[in-house]
Amino acid sequence: MIKNIRIRGFKSLEDVTVALEPVTVLIGRTGSGKSNFVQAIRFLRDFLTDRNPQRALQLHGGHWLKVICATATDPIKITFSVGFAAPGFQEGFAYFLSFRQAHPHGDLIVNEEHLALGGKVLFHSRQSQWVEPPPLINAPAPTGTAMLGALTGVQESTIAHLVLTNGIGCYAFPDNVLMHSQSSNHQPNASGLRDDGGNFLPAFTEILTNLQSWRSLLDLAASLRKLKSNLRSLDLEQPSRQRIAVTLESEGRRLVFPLDQESEGFRRLLACLLALYQTPPKQTVLFDEPEKGIFPPGLPILAEEFKNYASQGRGQVILTTHSPEFLDHFEPEQIRVVEMAGFGTRIGRLAPEQTEAIRERYLKTGELLTVDPARLAEPTPVE
């Protein structure tokens, strides 16, 4: 999981440091910067996937002016510092990446990068020069872009790269989610379910046709059955296998119809479950307002799935929400408050008096969005 992250210079995130839990819920007023936090992690992932800043910018507005902080002054910089764990390593990784403007009005280029494992630096470059070269006899020269995942013989770098690329899913589903599976891929080199769920058919097929993950389909259907009691199963339409079929059962008789005839709320809940049950699984999944459009009885089902994802060791969940009913299903320790101070976003833990009020049952977590708006602990803690 991502244990902590510091982001500087990205949109409204002038300088934020956030400690993350196995399940972390970001709450705050509209425009406070919750989505910017999710988009920043997505930008880092998209850049590292191709190690090409301009391709990443194409996915985030098309120009560096779309991603830099509005109050930034020269020299323009965007930096990420990430502490995270990886399968097979007892010690934690620390990764730092800094972008700068090549010249006034120029594009963003990599300025500095370093990777450490358990406090030991594996490599460190600055302005296309090695400060600390990787432990290779013939180390390649820095190329002006990220070296993470580009160093043959440094397996630690390869694993760290996988965690920060294929290991992260950032989901914001459109209203027509799961209506039409798209073959075109606007998310280069994407692995697993795409951010918009557009490739849901191959993602579903992968679960269905893999005997090691087929049990997950039964668990997925069992969760949906809590919302739709007459649901019998989800399957591929035969023999074409080009659509997902929903089977309902009543008094021993079954009715089969295509998924695109289901309600938006059902499709949204299923899309979230596909993100959680996809194979191979993601190490960290982020959801921007996953509760949107879901019928209220579906909210405890979704919250339970998110918590199970973490408690069962399948991965980490980070989400934003505006729903009091949904927030009621999470603990105060899992909440991070997001607020706008001037023109910059601040993110931190819940004020201790509100945490205590929730523990003593004087306040429900959902009421942090209604009767007693969530407040940051003061002073904002350095995580």
Side-chain angles (χ1 to χ4, degrees):
M1 58 176 278
I2 299 174
K3 296 181 178 179
N4 55 77
I5 184 167
R6 183 180 185 184
I7 303 166
R8 289 180 286 176
F10 186 93
K11 295 191 175 182
S12 67
L13 309 178
E14 292 179 331
D15 188 349
V16 299
T17 302
V18 187
L20 297 167
E21 308 295 335
V23 176
T24 303
V25 185
L26 300 169
I27 62 172
R29 294 182 178 181
T30 299
S32 58
K34 300 184 299 298
S35 294
N36 287 346
F37 180 78
V38 174
Q39 289 168 15
I41 296 177
R42 182 182 164 220
F43 178 84
L44 175 64
R45 180 206 63 184
D46 291 346
F47 165 70
L48 289 175
T49 298
D50 285 332
R51 294 189 292 273
N52 185 319
Q54 309 325 310
R55 289 182 192 169
L57 287 173
Q58 288 173 7
L59 298 172
H60 294 262
H63 195 275
W64 60 268
L65 286 172
K66 300 287 188 179
V67 299
I68 64 169
C69 185
T71 58
T73 57
D74 291 334
I76 301 296
K77 285 187 178 181
I78 298 176
T79 67
F80 297 89
S81 302
V82 191
F84 60 96
F89 292 88
Q90 292 185 346
E91 297 176 306
F93 282 90
Y95 179 66
F96 175 83
L97 179 67
S98 171
F99 297 95
R100 66 177 173 87
Q101 239 181 325
H103 52 80
H105 309 295
D107 292 327
L108 291 177
I109 61 173
V110 172
N111 178 59
E112 186 173 2
E113 179 187 30
H114 65 74
L115 177 70
L117 175 61
K120 178 182 178 182
V121 176
L122 296 173
F123 68 82
H124 182 189
S125 67
R126 184 185 298 122
Q127 298 184 9
S128 300
Q129 299 290 329
W130 287 123
V131 177
E132 179 73 32
L136 299 170
I137 293 177
N138 297 310
T143 60
T145 186
M147 298 302 291
L148 188 73
L151 296 170
T152 303
V154 186
Q155 191 176 52
E156 299 93 335
S157 172
T158 301
I159 297 299
H161 182 260
L162 286 173
V163 169
L164 296 177
T165 54
N166 289 351
I168 295 178
C170 302
Y171 299 104
F173 299 124
D175 294 343
N176 64 347
V177 64
L178 308 193
M179 289 287 286
H180 307 287
S181 189
Q182 303 164 1
S183 57
S184 61
N185 195 336
H186 302 293
Q187 189 179 330
N189 302 322
S191 171
L193 186 69
R194 278 189 0 223
D195 293 347
D196 61 359
N199 65 336
F200 66 89
L201 185 61
F204 179 85
T205 302
E206 182 65 28
I207 298 173
L208 180 66
T209 57
N210 186 334
L211 289 176
Q212 292 183 330
S213 63
W214 188 79
R215 175 70 194 181
S216 297
L217 186 62
L218 300 181
D219 295 336
L220 188 154
S223 288
L224 289 171
R225 200 171 293 120
K226 296 174 185 177
L227 180 65
K228 200 177 188 76
S229 61
N230 62 341
L231 177 71
R232 173 72 184 188
S233 64
L234 296 170
D235 204 344
L236 287 174
E237 190 176 74
Q238 303 294 343
S240 67
R241 302 171 68 87
Q242 294 303 307
R243 293 196 299 183
I244 296 177
V246 179
T247 301
L248 305 181
E249 186 173 48
S250 177
E251 298 180 351
R253 301 179 65 188
R254 299 180 185 181
L255 174 65
V256 181
F257 59 92
L259 175 63
D260 58 20
Q261 293 183 18
E262 270 289 0
S263 68
E264 178 189 341
F266 182 90
R267 288 183 284 105
R268 280 185 174 275
L269 179 56
L270 176 55
C272 291
L273 295 178
L274 283 177
L276 297 177
Y277 285 97
Q278 65 183 297
T279 180
K282 301 293 185 184
Q283 181 159 312
T284 297
V285 284
L286 298 95
F287 295 90
D288 200 3
E289 296 184 50
E291 78 282 358
K292 284 175 59 177
I294 295 179
F295 189 53
L299 298 182
I301 299 170
L302 183 58
E304 189 66 22
E305 286 286 351
F306 284 160
K307 290 185 283 188
N308 287 342
Y309 194 72
S311 65
Q312 294 171 2
R314 291 151 57 199
Q316 174 185 31
V317 178
I318 303 167
L319 63 110
T320 73
T321 184
H322 281 294
S323 168
E325 294 83 2
F326 192 45
L327 187 59
D328 270 337
H329 298 282
F330 298 96
E331 300 301 320
E333 294 78 14
Q334 297 172 321
I335 294 172
R336 296 294 180 270
V337 182
V338 184
E339 57 179 43
M340 185 68 70
F343 299 104
T345 293
R346 298 197 306 163
I347 306 177
R349 297 182 186 275
L350 186 63
E353 64 273 15
Q354 290 184 307
T355 298
E356 186 63 23
I358 293 170
R359 287 175 178 161
E360 296 297 327
R361 301 185 182 275
Y362 298 129
L363 186 72
K364 296 197 299 183
T365 52
E367 291 176 327
L368 296 170
L369 296 174
T370 54
V371 299
D372 190 13
R375 299 185 296 276
L376 272 171
E378 295 289 353
T380 304
V382 176
E383 302 286 9

